[in-house]
């Protein structure tokens, strides 16, 4: 790559990152809290591209002309030589073409919008319920309490339902179906980015939907049950929810749950 090509790649990469950061596309890659850093990175890359072009043009304008050597004589390094008509030829050194492979991640970022992680990843990754939380906040008053799936799973697994008894719970997640046909409601919990996402799973019992389509987003209403099972991947706890009502809903703007790491 020459300097102009490097600047073009930097400019396109910065523009693609800014596009992702200014839309919801970035939520497919990183947690929402990293958006300012992503935008800053895009601005820095674009600034670097502009500076590269500017310095390259400045160097071209101010470069002193190279005097031609005497006819038929080259310099000590043999980089320049003259022929019988007095013309001067230089030896150019080509950069390795493998450098153009740097463009592939850029094309992937521009052309491919990856879907959020779903049931395939959830069933092949152990549950994130591995460490007991320090405690749980009091639930608000009311007949039906809306909880995140991660919050319900933690309370059901480690609080033994003490804060959930005699309460109707409403939560949402996407559907995954185990190898034995058990339906699970899942949210992928993030620490930083989609690469470190881990599923939090709750099993569904009671009035489950008659047709179970993996990756369908459901909003379920139900009550706490002491039923639990172990995740076959890592032996983590999977609590259950006794479902009284379930309905399909649209996938949320941010499909990942960031509350897992505070």
């Amino acid at each position: 790559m020459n300097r102009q090509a490097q600047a073009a790649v930097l400019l396109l990469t910065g523009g693609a990152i800014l596009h992702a950061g200014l839309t919801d596309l970035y939520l497919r890659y990183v947690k929402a809290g990293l958006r300012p850093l992503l935008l800053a990175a895009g601005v820095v890359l674009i600034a670097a591209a502009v500076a590269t072009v500017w310095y390259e043009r400045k160097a071209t304008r101010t470069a002193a002309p190279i005097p031609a050597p005497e006819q038929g004589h080259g310099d000590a390094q043999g980089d320049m030589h003259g022929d019988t008509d007095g013309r001067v030829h230089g030896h150019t050194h080509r950069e390795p073409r493998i450098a153009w492979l740097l463009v592939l991640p850029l094309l992937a970022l521009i052309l491919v919008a990856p879907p959020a992680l779903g049931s395939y990843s959830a069933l092949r990754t152990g549950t994130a319920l591995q460490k007991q939380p320090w405690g749980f906040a009091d639930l608000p008053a009311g007949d039906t309490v809306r909880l995140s799936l991660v919050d319900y799973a933690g309370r059901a697994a480690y609080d033994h339902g003490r804060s959930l008894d005699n309460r109707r719970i409403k939560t949402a997640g996407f559907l995954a179906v185990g190898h034995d046909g058990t339906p699970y409601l899942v949210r992928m919990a993030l620490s930083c980015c989609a690469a470190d996402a881990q599923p939090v799973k709750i099993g569904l019992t009671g009035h489950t939907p008659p047709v179970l389509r993996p990756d369908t987003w459901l909003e379920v209403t139900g009550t706490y049950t002491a039923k639990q099972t172990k995740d076959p991947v890592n032996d983590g706890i999977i609590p259950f929810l006794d479902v009284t009502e379930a309905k399909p809903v649209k996938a949320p703007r941010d499909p990942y749950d960031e509350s897992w790491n505070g």
Side-chain angles (χ1 to χ4, degrees), residues 72-185:
H73 297 280
D75 58 16
Q77 300 296 326
D79 286 332
M80 305 291 291
H81 66 83
D83 54 20
T84 55
D85 60 2
R87 291 177 296 178
V88 178
H89 303 277
H91 295 290
T92 59
H93 302 279
R94 297 178 62 88
E95 292 82 1
R97 294 181 180 179
I98 196 173
W100 284 101
L101 291 177
L102 294 171
V103 180
L104 294 181
L106 170 63
L107 295 177
L109 181 61
I110 295 175
L111 301 177
V112 180
L117 298 176
S119 60
Y120 180 87
S121 299
L123 293 176
R124 288 160 178 79
T125 308
T127 179
L129 286 180
Q130 294 294 306
K131 295 181 180 180
Q132 183 171 352
W134 288 103
F136 300 95
D138 294 334
L139 295 180
D143 178 52
T144 301
V145 180
R146 181 180 293 274
L147 293 179
S148 70
L149 187 147
V150 173
D151 192 7
Y152 173 81
R155 292 172 184 270
Y158 300 118
D159 195 37
H160 306 291
R162 283 188 289 265
S163 61
L164 301 172
D165 277 339
N166 303 316
R167 305 298 300 271
R168 284 167 51 88
I169 306 299
K170 181 175 290 188
T171 190
F174 64 84
L175 190 64
V177 181
H179 301 296
D180 59 355
T182 301
Y184 299 104
L185 204 63

Side-chain angles (χ1 to χ4, degrees), residues 28 47 59 64 97 101 154 186-187 197 226 251:
R28 302 292 179 90
R97 294 181 180 179
L101 291 177
V186 186
R187 288 296 296 266

Side-chain angles (χ1 to χ4, degrees), residues 10-30 34-46 105-114 253:
L10 282 174
L11 182 64
L12 290 174
T13 304
I17 291 176
L18 280 182
H19 168 70
L22 293 173
T23 63
D24 290 342
L25 180 60
Y26 79 102
L27 294 173
R28 302 292 179 90
Y29 299 96
V30 298
L34 295 180
R35 186 179 196 178
L37 295 178
L38 198 65
L39 295 176
V43 171
V44 169
L45 288 175
I46 291 175
L106 170 63
L107 295 177
L109 181 61
I110 295 175
L111 301 177
V112 180
R253 169 178 169 270

